[in-house]
Amino acid sequence: MDSRWCEAPPSTASSSGSARPDYENPVARVNPFLLVSYLVTDRVERRSTVPCRLGEEYGKIRDYVAARGCINTRTKALYPPTGLPEGVSFGDFDGGYAAMQNELELAALICVLLQYGPFRSSLDIGVGSGGSTRMIRDLIPIEETVVIDDGSNEDYQHWVKAKPHIKSKLTEIIGDSTSREVAQQLADLGKKFDLIAIDGAHDLPHVMNDWNLVAQHAMEGAIVWFHDIVIIRDVTSVWKHASCHFPVIYERYIEQGTGAIILLGT
């Protein structure tokens, strides 16, 4: 296997606690309402052939995500006292998409993915409540989607509600991503994916396993995005490894941390 894929722990870190590790992020203190061309790390400009000029688009997507995402007092506080943008109304957690990502991190990620889409076949390793899976497919054409999840997340009930609304041909693999049964089911599909999300269990063995699944099932030039790259140490370890070996097209931290790479030379 190519040395860029991790078969051994990328670091000695093994705690999955929420304490933030030592992590340098050039956009950690950026005003979230600045244009996405400034929100996204300058590595986009240096290492991507796609220019990032989606300032107006980012505003629209931010409002879309906020209106349908995980709505709470923190989200409402992002908007001025004068109220929400025209046409935007907040729902509650059950009435919305129940997205577990920070709304602004997710909106900016969608802006970046729009530059590379549409996508033919995608893989979500870990679906949780299903909010981001649904939201991304609302806004980006994705022909077919495979999701892997064992259903153990307490918010999995929201995914059950979301499934009928997914704008993509959907295949579910129910089980632990590290199991032989799941690996075999994924292999039996015979698919290669051009968009992959790693957001399953966050302990080091699972994240390493999921990264190695990418090695087996990604197309050349696929986009792989990680969630919780800042607040979960084991995810940070694998993200640092991956982002050292493949071009980073997106990296942002407001609350949890989200990053994306493009697999060139796989």
Side-chain angles (χ1 to χ4, degrees):
M1 180 178 290
D2 192 311
S3 62
R4 291 174 297 178
W5 307 95
C6 56
E7 295 178 301
S11 80
T12 58
S14 59
S15 170
S16 294
S18 60
R20 190 194 319 171
D22 180 20
Y23 185 87
E24 292 297 328
N25 189 309
V27 294
R29 294 174 296 279
V30 169
N31 183 323
F33 291 100
L34 295 177
L35 299 184
V36 72
S37 58
Y38 185 64
L39 286 169
V40 182
T41 169
D42 65 353
R43 276 188 275 187
V44 172
E45 303 296 336
R46 298 201 310 269
R47 303 173 73 170
S48 170
T49 59
V50 180
C52 192
R53 303 189 184 102
L54 288 173
E56 181 179 353
E57 194 74 13
Y58 169 72
K60 294 177 182 177
I61 292 172
R62 177 200 65 207
D63 294 343
Y64 186 96
V65 171
R68 294 163 178 81
C70 179
I71 303 308
N72 49 40
T73 54
R74 176 182 54 78
T75 307
K76 292 181 181 180
L78 293 172
Y79 287 88
T82 52
L84 303 174
E86 183 179 354
V88 174
S89 60
F90 283 116
D92 59 23
F93 192 84
D94 288 312
Y97 282 24
M100 299 170 71
Q101 280 80 0
N102 174 278
E103 295 82 2
L104 301 180
E105 290 181 8
L106 178 57
L109 171 67
I110 291 172
C111 273
V112 173
L113 294 180
L114 275 168
Q115 298 175 80
Y116 292 87
F119 298 95
R120 190 177 81 189
S121 187
S122 66
L123 172 65
D124 279 20
I125 305 175
V127 71
S129 65
S132 59
T133 298
R134 180 179 176 186
M135 195 102 56
I136 288 170
R137 285 150 188 81
D138 276 0
L139 298 169
I140 302 172
I142 299 175
E143 187 175 331
E144 56 183 345
T145 297
V146 176
V147 300
I148 299 173
D149 200 287
D150 64 2
S152 63
N153 190 292
E154 62 181 5
D155 291 317
Y156 189 77
Q157 58 179 312
H158 298 288
W159 167 240
V160 175
K161 298 176 186 177
K163 281 191 291 185
H165 305 287
I166 301 297
K167 297 178 180 179
S168 183
K169 180 182 177 182
L170 184 63
T171 300
E172 283 189 279
I173 299 176
I174 300 174
D176 189 310
S177 65
T178 63
S179 71
R180 292 182 179 179
E181 292 78 12
V182 165
Q184 188 59 56
Q185 288 182 64
L186 187 58
D188 289 345
L189 292 176
K191 296 183 182 298
K192 292 287 187 179
F193 301 98
D194 54 355
L195 177 65
I196 300 174
I198 296 181
D199 193 17
H202 288 350
D203 59 278
L204 192 58
H206 275 88
V207 186
M208 287 172 56
N209 172 82
D210 296 346
W211 173 237
N212 282 318
L213 281 179
V214 171
Q216 301 169 45
H217 298 286
M219 296 180 187
E220 166 78 15
I223 304 297
V224 182
W225 68 272
F226 291 70
H227 185 233
D228 291 323
I229 63 171
V230 175
I231 64 169
I232 304 294
R233 183 174 299 173
D234 292 346
V235 181
T236 303
S237 296
V238 180
W239 166 251
K240 283 184 173 180
H241 174 90
S243 61
C244 282
H245 291 87
F246 295 97
V248 174
I249 61 169
Y250 173 70
E251 186 176 41
R252 189 180 183 197
Y253 167 55
I254 294 175
E255 181 182 2
Q256 300 149 338
T258 307
I261 56 175
I262 183 166
L263 303 183
L264 299 175
T266 56

